[in-house]
Amino acid sequence: MNKEKKQVIYLDRNESQYGPALACFEVLKVDNFKNLSEYSRDFSRGVKSALSERLANDFGVPEKNILLGYGGEDILKQAVHCYINKGDKIMIPSYSWWYYKKIADEKEGVKIEYPIVEGEDSFYYDIDGMLKIYEKEKPKLVLISSPNNPTGNRLEIDDLKMVLRKIKDAVVIIDEAYTLFYNKDNSHLKDMINEFPNVLIIRTFSKYYGLAGIRIGFVLMGDNHAEFSLFSARYLGYNRLSEQIAIAALDSSDYYDEMRDKMVADTEAYIKDFNQMEGFKAYKTYANFILVKIPVAIKDDLKKYLTERNMIVKFMAEDGLFNHLRITIGTQEQNRLLLNMIKSFLTKTITNELVH
Ligand SMILES: Cc1ncc(COP(=O)(O)O)c(C=O)c1O
């Protein structure tokens, strides 16, 4: 019997299929055990850590305006747990990462959804609708995701600033977990935290840098977040190895630029391929995943077919996105493999229908 186990391809959680830069692996050859056995002493230089210091330099902001966390997930949870108490209102995009609602529920916050709507070839934020709801509800916290998961759309920086000029009295979290795939320019970060003291901009090393396993995210904060800084402060520092790996990634921009260019070109081609298939519709994206609407009749059978072939994509099951797949952009080979599997499935289904 052939005991060789076929590798499962996971295209369901938007992890990088290219992996991190080579320099990140070099860090793992630890030649000084003190990096493992001792806490860092970065605080003696008046900073939280080597990584927060590096990020502050890269973005041209004071180090005190940066906090690290155990991934974007951790920072989102910390922020919501810090600011939301039972009965406080929290605005969340209608289609968004399920986790936002979960952390609001953990604190018994009152969730107010605001609209992301389907357009011709992409989803978009209904800015007027959002601002009307803000004025009416006066929430304590507003969550914005750009690019948004799972719809893939983003708010352009000018629109974002226009929105922030109107939302002065709430904490605003902007989740930019996926931003680097279509945006090389970080200059808005400094402007935004200078102009908007209420803002928290969350980023992660998990997606673009291919480092989901090291669990590092960070947040750039406007000046109104002394309470959150205290809430989040870690006296004994952070994971030194993870920090060094993250710094190695920041030093490897050539590798990531090349990956980005490849992925953007592949994504455009992929969307075209899906849109040529009858009954399928793929939406424009600014992230490393695409949302694809499929004929509802094939959903269960397609899921079974792909799973049996060790191909895992995300079959959405939420209101309004019930007939949709969210597919992580993989390598060219993986993208082709998935597309061919779906085509084979369709051919098989049509043939069966003709026979029976
Ligand atoms: C929109 C969004 N924000 C944040 C995260 C958190 O990622 P991490 O905790 O790995 O930084 C994810 C992960 O899938 C995500 O989809």
Side-chain angles (χ1 to χ4, degrees), residues 13-14 70-74 76 97 99-100 145 147-149 175-178 202-207 211-212 215-217 289 326:
R13 293 213 290 187
N14 308 331
Y70 200 70
E73 171 192 351
D74 172 43
L76 281 159
W97 190 28
Y99 187 69
Y100 299 162
S145 179
N148 186 47
N149 174 10
D175 184 348
E176 291 195 341
Y178 295 98
I202 296 179
R203 293 230 175 153
T204 179
F205 281 89
S206 295
K207 309 294 182 182
L211 290 169
R215 310 305 298 128
I216 286 225
F289 55 82
R326 193 196 62 204

Side-chain angles (χ1 to χ4, degrees), residues 11-232:
L11 300 178
D12 60 339
R13 293 213 290 187
N14 308 331
E15 291 144 316
S16 167
Q17 300 299 309
Y18 285 98
L22 269 183
C24 299
F25 297 95
E26 292 298 316
V27 175
L28 292 171
K29 299 176 189 159
V30 182
D31 53 8
N32 177 357
F33 76 87
K34 295 200 168 187
N35 277 339
L36 301 179
S37 59
E38 292 184 348
Y39 302 116
S40 78
R41 291 187 179 261
D42 297 310
F43 68 87
S44 60
R45 292 199 314 284
V47 297
K48 285 177 279 306
S49 80
L51 180 58
S52 58
E53 190 178 29
R54 165 65 184 266
L55 292 165
N57 281 335
D58 283 4
F59 299 135
V61 304
E63 193 274 342
K64 71 174 175 48
N65 293 76
I66 295 193
L67 289 175
L68 303 182
Y70 200 70
E73 171 192 351
D74 172 43
I75 297 170
L76 281 159
K77 185 178 203 135
Q78 284 192 49
V80 168
H81 279 239
C82 173
Y83 286 121
I84 293 293
N85 291 307
K86 186 174 178 174
D88 287 341
K89 292 179 180 172
I90 167 167
M91 270 176 66
I92 298 177
S94 51
Y95 301 124
S96 55
W97 190 28
W98 62 271
Y99 187 69
Y100 299 162
K101 291 183 183 151
K102 179 177 185 300
I103 46 183
D105 287 342
E106 283 170 2
K107 290 300 299 254
E108 297 183 64
V110 176
K111 303 184 292 293
I112 315 272
E113 289 195 14
Y114 69 89
I116 288 191
V117 284
E118 183 175 348
E120 183 68 13
D121 59 1
S122 70
F123 283 78
Y124 63 92
Y125 276 98
D126 168 4
I127 295 176
D128 289 344
M130 171 190 190
L131 291 175
K132 270 192 200 127
I133 292 174
Y134 170 73
E135 288 303 330
K136 179 167 170 264
E137 300 286 352
K138 305 253 179 294
K140 180 131 188 235
L141 198 153
V142 178
L143 254 161
I144 299 173
S145 179
S146 181
N148 186 47
N149 174 10
T151 49
N153 61 299
R154 69 179 179 193
L155 259 184
E156 299 303 326
I157 298 300
D158 287 346
D159 287 336
L160 192 52
K161 286 187 175 171
M162 195 266 280
V163 165
L164 289 170
R165 284 187 191 115
K166 304 258 159 82
I167 305 187
K168 297 265 188 206
D169 297 324
V171 170
V172 182
I173 296 180
I174 303 164
D175 184 348
E176 291 195 341
Y178 295 98
T179 193
L180 289 175
F181 288 101
Y182 276 76
N183 170 35
K184 291 184 192 189
D185 183 7
N186 286 317
S187 58
H188 69 288
L189 294 173
K190 183 179 177 183
D191 294 354
M192 300 247 290
I193 66 162
N194 284 338
E195 189 178 344
F196 306 108
N198 53 336
V199 91
L200 292 171
I201 306 172
I202 296 179
R203 293 230 175 153
T204 179
F205 281 89
S206 295
K207 309 294 182 182
Y208 179 74
Y209 291 106
L211 290 169
I214 69 166
R215 310 305 298 128
I216 286 225
F218 60 96
V219 55
L220 289 103
M221 307 178 289
D223 279 336
N224 277 4
H225 292 291
E227 183 186 352
F228 182 49
S229 285
L230 263 181
F231 183 90
S232 174

